Amino acid sequence: METTRTALVVGGTSGIGLATARRLAAAGATVHVASRDPAKVAAVADAAPELVAHRVDGNDRAAVTELAGSLTPIDALVLTISSSAGLGPLADLDLAELRKGFDEKLIAMLTVLQAALPHLAERASITLVGAVSARAAMPGTAGIGAVNAAVESLVRPLAVELAPRRINAVSPGLVDTPWWDVLPEQARTDYFAAAEKGLPVRHVSSADEIAEAVALLATNPSITGTVLQVDGGARLVQL
């Protein structure tokens, strides 16, 4: 495991991003987290004083450039930007919402990558977070699956293009994070209980379980061009 001196986790104020930031900080890095949500930024500032929180929208190139420039050189860049836009069966899929999903996740990640690139250390790591919908056969996920497939497709060409910097991705499955807050609490509990019975590992992942994999990719100097599937076997079954 290499020494990470400065890390920036964009989307790092909740869920997988926050769990990853805490792991990197525990390993000795100075960790900055960024989010467009002011309430989440304030919450991190209060609850996780070991992290440095910033209010930055990933699609605001000027703001990302300013933040990244203030942190030069960045040893580990982690992008856990997420979006729930683009869910639903094809016949009813709102294509404007799907475009929003691409903007909120794929375009935001590309914006951050372009803005941060001049400020990354020579052998920095870049770690993206996609999702199992990129390859699983789950009805109602064709749209959001396309977004995540596009994110994960960045890894292999950029591993060569940006070398010796490393780029990888983690592809999680069902994870108990605030992403699921779109569902009423009881509906979420019921869905997780039913899903656990179908998953080969028989449990829904925690954010920290996924963060462990993200931190590995961010700090292991021999891993690049890899999409690590940490989905509890979700891609293998019909949930």
Side-chain angles (χ1 to χ4, degrees):
M1 182 177 291
E2 64 190 2
T3 300
T4 297
R5 295 177 294 279
T6 301
L8 173 60
V9 184
V10 182
T13 56
S14 67
I16 295 168
L18 180 56
T20 299
R22 284 175 160 158
R23 277 187 169 269
L24 293 174
T30 299
V31 183
H32 298 258
V33 297
S35 169
R36 62 174 177 251
D37 188 328
K40 291 180 179 179
V41 171
V44 167
D46 290 338
E50 74 274 21
L51 307 178
V52 185
H54 306 265
R55 183 184 176 186
V56 173
D57 187 330
N59 272 311
D60 185 340
R61 186 186 181 99
V64 175
T65 299
E66 182 178 358
L67 174 59
S70 72
L71 305 179
T72 302
I74 298 168
D75 300 294
L77 176 64
V78 179
L79 304 184
T80 63
I81 300 167
S82 65
S83 174
S84 59
L87 280 167
L90 179 62
D92 303 317
L93 187 59
D94 184 333
L95 296 184
E97 275 294 294
L98 179 56
R99 289 189 185 95
K100 179 182 176 183
F102 275 99
D103 285 339
E104 288 182 342
K105 186 160 187 175
L106 175 67
I107 301 303
M109 285 190 176
L110 287 170
T111 300
V112 173
L113 279 172
Q114 284 190 333
L117 192 59
H119 307 289
L120 299 181
E122 181 183 5
R123 294 184 177 275
S125 67
I126 302 163
T127 312
L128 315 178
V129 175
V132 68
S133 58
R135 62 186 54 77
M138 296 182 287
T141 65
I144 198 168
V147 174
N148 285 305
V151 167
E152 295 180 11
S153 73
L154 298 173
V155 169
R156 293 184 66 182
L158 290 183
V160 177
E161 180 180 332
L162 301 182
R165 297 180 177 112
R166 302 182 299 103
I167 180 165
N168 299 286
V170 170
S171 185
L174 297 179
V175 189
D176 190 0
T177 70
W179 189 89
W180 290 95
D181 288 350
V182 294
L183 292 179
E185 184 175 353
Q186 189 58 53
R188 169 177 169 161
T189 299
D190 292 346
Y191 179 70
F192 280 177
E196 284 180 336
K197 296 176 182 177
L199 286 169
V201 298
R202 300 294 191 270
H203 82 279
V204 171
S205 300
S206 69
D208 192 58
E209 288 169 350
I210 309 304
E212 182 178 10
V214 178
L216 169 68
L217 296 181
T219 58
N220 188 300
S222 291
I223 306 176
T224 195
T226 296
V227 177
L228 183 58
Q229 299 175 55
V230 190
D231 60 11
R235 71 193 182 281
L236 307 174
V237 297
Q238 183 72 50
L239 296 176

mmCIF file of all heavy atoms in Angstrom, residues 134-175:
data_model
loop_
_atom_site.group_PDB
_atom_site.id
_atom_site.type_symbol
_atom_site.label_atom_id
_atom_site.label_comp_id
_atom_site.label_asym_id
_atom_site.label_seq_id
_atom_site.Cartn_x
_atom_site.Cartn_y
_atom_site.Cartn_z
ATOM 1 N N ALA A 134 -24.754 -1.514 -14.332
ATOM 2 C CA ALA A 134 -24.011 -1.465 -15.592
ATOM 3 C C ALA A 134 -23.976 -2.805 -16.296
ATOM 4 O O ALA A 134 -23.777 -2.867 -17.517
ATOM 5 C CB ALA A 134 -22.578 -0.990 -15.346
ATOM 6 N N ARG A 135 -24.180 -3.913 -15.555
ATOM 7 C CA ARG A 135 -24.072 -5.227 -16.182
ATOM 8 C C ARG A 135 -25.155 -6.211 -15.749
ATOM 9 O O ARG A 135 -25.262 -7.294 -16.295
ATOM 10 C CB ARG A 135 -22.700 -5.840 -15.880
ATOM 11 C CG ARG A 135 -22.424 -6.088 -14.419
ATOM 12 C CD ARG A 135 -21.000 -6.546 -14.190
ATOM 13 N NE ARG A 135 -20.054 -5.609 -14.767
ATOM 14 C CZ ARG A 135 -19.726 -4.451 -14.216
ATOM 15 N NH1 ARG A 135 -20.279 -4.096 -13.074
ATOM 16 N NH2 ARG A 135 -18.872 -3.650 -14.796
ATOM 17 N N ALA A 136 -25.972 -5.852 -14.763
ATOM 18 C CA ALA A 136 -26.997 -6.775 -14.286
ATOM 19 C C ALA A 136 -28.260 -6.675 -15.146
ATOM 20 O O ALA A 136 -28.503 -5.678 -15.813
ATOM 21 C CB ALA A 136 -27.340 -6.475 -12.835
ATOM 22 N N ALA A 137 -29.060 -7.741 -15.120
ATOM 23 C CA ALA A 137 -30.299 -7.780 -15.907
ATOM 24 C C ALA A 137 -31.491 -7.495 -15.007
ATOM 25 O O ALA A 137 -32.330 -8.351 -14.746
ATOM 26 C CB ALA A 137 -30.453 -9.139 -16.582
ATOM 27 N N MET A 138 -31.567 -6.256 -14.501
ATOM 28 C CA MET A 138 -32.631 -5.864 -13.597
ATOM 29 C C MET A 138 -33.632 -4.988 -14.333
ATOM 30 O O MET A 138 -33.261 -3.898 -14.810
ATOM 31 C CB MET A 138 -32.060 -5.118 -12.389
ATOM 32 C CG MET A 138 -31.160 -5.959 -11.514
ATOM 33 S SD MET A 138 -30.555 -5.061 -10.045
ATOM 34 C CE MET A 138 -29.357 -3.945 -10.804
ATOM 35 N N PRO A 139 -34.868 -5.420 -14.485
ATOM 36 C CA PRO A 139 -35.877 -4.607 -15.158
ATOM 37 C C PRO A 139 -35.975 -3.219 -14.524
ATOM 38 O O PRO A 139 -35.879 -3.066 -13.302
ATOM 39 C CB PRO A 139 -37.171 -5.404 -14.947
ATOM 40 C CG PRO A 139 -36.714 -6.815 -14.759
ATOM 41 C CD PRO A 139 -35.415 -6.717 -14.015
ATOM 42 N N GLY A 140 -36.150 -2.218 -15.363
ATOM 43 C CA GLY A 140 -36.292 -0.861 -14.870
ATOM 44 C C GLY A 140 -34.990 -0.120 -14.673
ATOM 45 O O GLY A 140 -34.988 1.016 -14.194
ATOM 46 N N THR A 141 -33.872 -0.742 -15.062
ATOM 47 C CA THR A 141 -32.573 -0.088 -14.843
ATOM 48 C C THR A 141 -31.800 0.160 -16.136
ATOM 49 O O THR A 141 -30.615 0.473 -16.086
ATOM 50 C CB THR A 141 -31.684 -0.920 -13.886
ATOM 51 O OG1 THR A 141 -31.354 -2.172 -14.512
ATOM 52 C CG2 THR A 141 -32.379 -1.168 -12.560
ATOM 53 N N ALA A 142 -32.456 0.034 -17.277
ATOM 54 C CA ALA A 142 -31.726 0.242 -18.540
ATOM 55 C C ALA A 142 -31.133 1.637 -18.611
ATOM 56 O O ALA A 142 -29.983 1.815 -19.045
ATOM 57 C CB ALA A 142 -32.661 -0.002 -19.729
ATOM 58 N N GLY A 143 -31.889 2.633 -18.176
ATOM 59 C CA GLY A 143 -31.402 4.005 -18.242
ATOM 60 C C GLY A 143 -30.256 4.267 -17.296
ATOM 61 O O GLY A 143 -29.163 4.686 -17.699
ATOM 62 N N ILE A 144 -30.485 4.006 -16.019
ATOM 63 C CA ILE A 144 -29.435 4.258 -15.036
ATOM 64 C C ILE A 144 -28.255 3.307 -15.240
ATOM 65 O O ILE A 144 -27.108 3.646 -14.974
ATOM 66 C CB ILE A 144 -30.009 4.158 -13.603
ATOM 67 C CG1 ILE A 144 -29.065 4.847 -12.614
ATOM 68 C CG2 ILE A 144 -30.304 2.714 -13.210
ATOM 69 C CD1 ILE A 144 -29.670 5.050 -11.242
ATOM 70 N N GLY A 145 -28.550 2.112 -15.771
ATOM 71 C CA GLY A 145 -27.473 1.179 -16.106
ATOM 72 C C GLY A 145 -26.577 1.731 -17.199
ATOM 73 O O GLY A 145 -25.358 1.528 -17.173
ATOM 74 N N ALA A 146 -27.166 2.435 -18.154
ATOM 75 C CA ALA A 146 -26.370 3.053 -19.220
ATOM 76 C C ALA A 146 -25.443 4.120 -18.654
ATOM 77 O O ALA A 146 -24.287 4.257 -19.082
ATOM 78 C CB ALA A 146 -27.285 3.648 -20.279
ATOM 79 N N VAL A 147 -25.936 4.876 -17.674
ATOM 80 C CA VAL A 147 -25.103 5.891 -17.028
ATOM 81 C C VAL A 147 -23.902 5.231 -16.352
ATOM 82 O O VAL A 147 -22.751 5.646 -16.536
ATOM 83 C CB VAL A 147 -25.920 6.689 -15.990
ATOM 84 C CG1 VAL A 147 -25.009 7.651 -15.223
ATOM 85 C CG2 VAL A 147 -27.050 7.453 -16.662
ATOM 86 N N ASN A 148 -24.158 4.179 -15.571
ATOM 87 C CA ASN A 148 -23.071 3.520 -14.847
ATOM 88 C C ASN A 148 -22.130 2.768 -15.780
ATOM 89 O O ASN A 148 -20.922 2.706 -15.530
ATOM 90 C CB ASN A 148 -23.655 2.597 -13.786
ATOM 91 C CG ASN A 148 -24.195 3.374 -12.606
ATOM 92 O OD1 ASN A 148 -23.478 4.164 -11.991
ATOM 93 N ND2 ASN A 148 -25.459 3.183 -12.281
ATOM 94 N N ALA A 149 -22.666 2.216 -16.855
ATOM 95 C CA ALA A 149 -21.798 1.560 -17.835
ATOM 96 C C ALA A 149 -20.862 2.583 -18.481
ATOM 97 O O ALA A 149 -19.684 2.290 -18.734
ATOM 98 C CB ALA A 149 -22.645 0.860 -18.900
ATOM 99 N N ALA A 150 -21.382 3.779 -18.739
ATOM 100 C CA ALA A 150 -20.544 4.831 -19.318
ATOM 101 C C ALA A 150 -19.429 5.234 -18.350
ATOM 102 O O ALA A 150 -18.281 5.433 -18.759
ATOM 103 C CB ALA A 150 -21.403 6.037 -19.676
ATOM 104 N N VAL A 151 -19.765 5.331 -17.069
ATOM 105 C CA VAL A 151 -18.747 5.662 -16.062
ATOM 106 C C VAL A 151 -17.658 4.597 -16.036
ATOM 107 O O VAL A 151 -16.461 4.899 -16.102
ATOM 108 C CB VAL A 151 -19.399 5.795 -14.666
ATOM 109 C CG1 VAL A 151 -18.324 5.830 -13.571
ATOM 110 C CG2 VAL A 151 -20.263 7.051 -14.597
ATOM 111 N N GLU A 152 -18.066 3.346 -15.970
ATOM 112 C CA GLU A 152 -17.090 2.264 -15.862
ATOM 113 C C GLU A 152 -16.276 2.084 -17.140
ATOM 114 O O GLU A 152 -15.142 1.603 -17.094
ATOM 115 C CB GLU A 152 -17.798 0.976 -15.451
ATOM 116 C CG GLU A 152 -18.390 1.077 -14.040
ATOM 117 C CD GLU A 152 -19.115 -0.169 -13.583
ATOM 118 O OE1 GLU A 152 -18.991 -1.221 -14.262
ATOM 119 O OE2 GLU A 152 -19.811 -0.108 -12.546
ATOM 120 N N SER A 153 -16.839 2.503 -18.283
ATOM 121 C CA SER A 153 -16.105 2.381 -19.545
ATOM 122 C C SER A 153 -14.936 3.354 -19.638
ATOM 123 O O SER A 153 -14.080 3.220 -20.514
ATOM 124 C CB SER A 153 -17.050 2.593 -20.735
ATOM 125 O OG SER A 153 -17.404 3.969 -20.863
ATOM 126 N N LEU A 154 -14.871 4.328 -18.749
ATOM 127 C CA LEU A 154 -13.754 5.273 -18.747
ATOM 128 C C LEU A 154 -12.450 4.625 -18.282
ATOM 129 O O LEU A 154 -11.359 5.074 -18.638
ATOM 130 C CB LEU A 154 -14.062 6.447 -17.802
ATOM 131 C CG LEU A 154 -15.267 7.327 -18.113
ATOM 132 C CD1 LEU A 154 -15.490 8.314 -16.971
ATOM 133 C CD2 LEU A 154 -15.067 8.070 -19.432
ATOM 134 N N VAL A 155 -12.570 3.557 -17.505
ATOM 135 C CA VAL A 155 -11.419 3.049 -16.752
ATOM 136 C C VAL A 155 -10.299 2.538 -17.649
ATOM 137 O O VAL A 155 -9.129 2.938 -17.499
ATOM 138 C CB VAL A 155 -11.875 1.963 -15.757
ATOM 139 C CG1 VAL A 155 -10.683 1.236 -15.167
ATOM 140 C CG2 VAL A 155 -12.719 2.584 -14.658
ATOM 141 N N ARG A 156 -10.595 1.640 -18.562
ATOM 142 C CA ARG A 156 -9.519 1.002 -19.323
ATOM 143 C C ARG A 156 -8.769 1.982 -20.238
ATOM 144 O O ARG A 156 -7.526 2.013 -20.217
ATOM 145 C CB ARG A 156 -10.064 -0.187 -20.112
ATOM 146 C CG ARG A 156 -10.518 -1.330 -19.200
ATOM 147 C CD ARG A 156 -10.959 -2.544 -19.978
ATOM 148 N NE ARG A 156 -9.869 -3.156 -20.702
ATOM 149 C CZ ARG A 156 -9.988 -4.210 -21.498
ATOM 150 N NH1 ARG A 156 -11.184 -4.756 -21.687
ATOM 151 N NH2 ARG A 156 -8.944 -4.717 -22.111
ATOM 152 N N PRO A 157 -9.463 2.801 -21.046
ATOM 153 C CA PRO A 157 -8.680 3.714 -21.889
ATOM 154 C C PRO A 157 -7.901 4.746 -21.094
ATOM 155 O O PRO A 157 -6.770 5.087 -21.453
ATOM 156 C CB PRO A 157 -9.742 4.368 -22.787
ATOM 157 C CG PRO A 157 -11.045 4.153 -22.104
ATOM 158 C CD PRO A 157 -10.909 2.875 -21.360
ATOM 159 N N LEU A 158 -8.479 5.236 -19.997
ATOM 160 C CA LEU A 158 -7.780 6.259 -19.231
ATOM 161 C C LEU A 158 -6.616 5.673 -18.435
ATOM 162 O O LEU A 158 -5.658 6.387 -18.124
ATOM 163 C CB LEU A 158 -8.749 6.982 -18.296
ATOM 164 C CG LEU A 158 -9.760 7.895 -18.991
ATOM 165 C CD1 LEU A 158 -10.622 8.626 -17.966
ATOM 166 C CD2 LEU A 158 -9.066 8.897 -19.924
ATOM 167 N N ALA A 159 -6.667 4.377 -18.117
ATOM 168 C CA ALA A 159 -5.535 3.756 -17.433
ATOM 169 C C ALA A 159 -4.273 3.812 -18.288
ATOM 170 O O ALA A 159 -3.152 3.911 -17.770
ATOM 171 C CB ALA A 159 -5.862 2.308 -17.075
ATOM 172 N N VAL A 160 -4.465 3.758 -19.596
ATOM 173 C CA VAL A 160 -3.330 3.860 -20.525
ATOM 174 C C VAL A 160 -3.011 5.324 -20.815
ATOM 175 O O VAL A 160 -1.859 5.758 -20.767
ATOM 176 C CB VAL A 160 -3.644 3.103 -21.830
ATOM 177 C CG1 VAL A 160 -2.489 3.268 -22.813
ATOM 178 C CG2 VAL A 160 -3.893 1.632 -21.550
ATOM 179 N N GLU A 161 -4.061 6.104 -21.069
ATOM 180 C CA GLU A 161 -3.864 7.506 -21.446
ATOM 181 C C GLU A 161 -3.220 8.332 -20.338
ATOM 182 O O GLU A 161 -2.381 9.208 -20.613
ATOM 183 C CB GLU A 161 -5.219 8.115 -21.820
ATOM 184 C CG GLU A 161 -5.160 9.580 -22.234
ATOM 185 C CD GLU A 161 -6.529 10.133 -22.587
ATOM 186 O OE1 GLU A 161 -7.404 9.349 -23.025
ATOM 187 O OE2 GLU A 161 -6.731 11.345 -22.430
ATOM 188 N N LEU A 162 -3.599 8.082 -19.093
ATOM 189 C CA LEU A 162 -3.141 8.919 -17.987
ATOM 190 C C LEU A 162 -1.952 8.338 -17.231
ATOM 191 O O LEU A 162 -1.503 8.918 -16.247
ATOM 192 C CB LEU A 162 -4.295 9.156 -17.000
ATOM 193 C CG LEU A 162 -5.542 9.828 -17.574
ATOM 194 C CD1 LEU A 162 -6.584 10.042 -16.483
ATOM 195 C CD2 LEU A 162 -5.194 11.152 -18.247
ATOM 196 N N ALA A 163 -1.449 7.183 -17.647
ATOM 197 C CA ALA A 163 -0.313 6.548 -16.963
ATOM 198 C C ALA A 163 0.869 7.513 -16.890
ATOM 199 O O ALA A 163 1.074 8.323 -17.800
ATOM 200 C CB ALA A 163 0.082 5.279 -17.722
ATOM 201 N N PRO A 164 1.648 7.475 -15.769
ATOM 202 C CA PRO A 164 1.643 6.468 -14.699
ATOM 203 C C PRO A 164 0.602 6.680 -13.610
ATOM 204 O O PRO A 164 0.612 5.958 -12.616
ATOM 205 C CB PRO A 164 3.057 6.580 -14.130
ATOM 206 C CG PRO A 164 3.403 8.023 -14.293
ATOM 207 C CD PRO A 164 2.790 8.424 -15.609
ATOM 208 N N ARG A 165 -0.254 7.667 -13.767
ATOM 209 C CA ARG A 165 -1.386 7.748 -12.833
ATOM 210 C C ARG A 165 -2.253 6.514 -13.027
ATOM 211 O O ARG A 165 -2.363 5.974 -14.122
ATOM 212 C CB ARG A 165 -2.187 9.014 -13.081
ATOM 213 C CG ARG A 165 -1.391 10.301 -12.839
ATOM 214 C CD ARG A 165 -2.234 11.525 -13.110
ATOM 215 N NE ARG A 165 -1.514 12.746 -12.810
ATOM 216 C CZ ARG A 165 -1.122 13.636 -13.720
ATOM 217 N NH1 ARG A 165 -1.383 13.404 -15.006
ATOM 218 N NH2 ARG A 165 -0.485 14.728 -13.361
ATOM 219 N N ARG A 166 -2.888 6.083 -11.954
ATOM 220 C CA ARG A 166 -3.721 4.879 -12.004
ATOM 221 C C ARG A 166 -5.190 5.261 -11.944
ATOM 222 O O ARG A 166 -5.560 6.218 -11.268
ATOM 223 C CB ARG A 166 -3.404 3.956 -10.816
ATOM 224 C CG ARG A 166 -1.960 3.516 -10.749
ATOM 225 C CD ARG A 166 -1.718 2.564 -9.593
ATOM 226 N NE ARG A 166 -2.005 3.172 -8.283
ATOM 227 C CZ ARG A 166 -3.082 2.960 -7.559
ATOM 228 N NH1 ARG A 166 -4.051 2.152 -7.993
ATOM 229 N NH2 ARG A 166 -3.245 3.538 -6.375
ATOM 230 N N ILE A 167 -6.023 4.516 -12.665
ATOM 231 C CA ILE A 167 -7.469 4.732 -12.573
ATOM 232 C C ILE A 167 -8.182 3.391 -12.502
ATOM 233 O O ILE A 167 -7.869 2.461 -13.256
ATOM 234 C CB ILE A 167 -8.011 5.593 -13.735
ATOM 235 C CG1 ILE A 167 -9.519 5.805 -13.596
ATOM 236 C CG2 ILE A 167 -7.653 5.012 -15.086
ATOM 237 C CD1 ILE A 167 -10.066 6.911 -14.481
ATOM 238 N N ASN A 168 -9.109 3.289 -11.577
ATOM 239 C CA ASN A 168 -9.894 2.083 -11.349
ATOM 240 C C ASN A 168 -11.315 2.483 -10.973
ATOM 241 O O ASN A 168 -11.609 3.664 -10.765
ATOM 242 C CB ASN A 168 -9.292 1.259 -10.203
ATOM 243 C CG ASN A 168 -7.883 0.791 -10.484
ATOM 244 O OD1 ASN A 168 -7.666 -0.124 -11.274
ATOM 245 N ND2 ASN A 168 -6.900 1.416 -9.837
ATOM 246 N N ALA A 169 -12.178 1.485 -10.860
ATOM 247 C CA ALA A 169 -13.549 1.733 -10.405
ATOM 248 C C ALA A 169 -14.019 0.583 -9.542
ATOM 249 O O ALA A 169 -13.587 -0.562 -9.705
ATOM 250 C CB ALA A 169 -14.495 1.917 -11.589
ATOM 251 N N VAL A 170 -14.926 0.895 -8.642
ATOM 252 C CA VAL A 170 -15.648 -0.107 -7.876
ATOM 253 C C VAL A 170 -17.081 -0.120 -8.369
ATOM 254 O O VAL A 170 -17.685 0.931 -8.606
ATOM 255 C CB VAL A 170 -15.603 0.190 -6.366
ATOM 256 C CG1 VAL A 170 -16.555 -0.728 -5.599
ATOM 257 C CG2 VAL A 170 -14.188 0.029 -5.836
ATOM 258 N N SER A 171 -17.620 -1.331 -8.549
ATOM 259 C CA SER A 171 -19.001 -1.496 -9.013
ATOM 260 C C SER A 171 -19.809 -2.161 -7.897
ATOM 261 O O SER A 171 -19.823 -3.386 -7.787
ATOM 262 C CB SER A 171 -19.029 -2.350 -10.292
ATOM 263 O OG SER A 171 -20.345 -2.425 -10.802
ATOM 264 N N PRO A 172 -20.472 -1.359 -7.051
ATOM 265 C CA PRO A 172 -21.234 -1.935 -5.939
ATOM 266 C C PRO A 172 -22.586 -2.478 -6.406
ATOM 267 O O PRO A 172 -23.086 -2.124 -7.481
ATOM 268 C CB PRO A 172 -21.446 -0.744 -4.992
ATOM 269 C CG PRO A 172 -20.719 0.410 -5.602
ATOM 270 C CD PRO A 172 -20.496 0.093 -7.035
ATOM 271 N N GLY A 173 -23.171 -3.312 -5.555
ATOM 272 C CA GLY A 173 -24.531 -3.792 -5.780
ATOM 273 C C GLY A 173 -25.493 -3.050 -4.887
ATOM 274 O O GLY A 173 -25.520 -1.816 -4.880
ATOM 275 N N LEU A 174 -26.281 -3.790 -4.105
ATOM 276 C CA LEU A 174 -27.206 -3.165 -3.161
ATOM 277 C C LEU A 174 -26.424 -2.742 -1.924
ATOM 278 O O LEU A 174 -25.796 -3.569 -1.264
ATOM 279 C CB LEU A 174 -28.311 -4.139 -2.772
ATOM 280 C CG LEU A 174 -29.234 -4.600 -3.908
ATOM 281 C CD1 LEU A 174 -30.262 -5.589 -3.387
ATOM 282 C CD2 LEU A 174 -29.934 -3.404 -4.540
ATOM 283 N N VAL A 175 -26.482 -1.458 -1.609
ATOM 284 C CA VAL A 175 -25.731 -0.913 -0.489
ATOM 285 C C VAL A 175 -26.667 -0.057 0.354
ATOM 286 O O VAL A 175 -27.401 0.777 -0.173
ATOM 287 C CB VAL A 175 -24.545 -0.046 -0.965
ATOM 288 C CG1 VAL A 175 -23.648 0.323 0.216
ATOM 289 C CG2 VAL A 175 -23.740 -0.767 -2.040
#
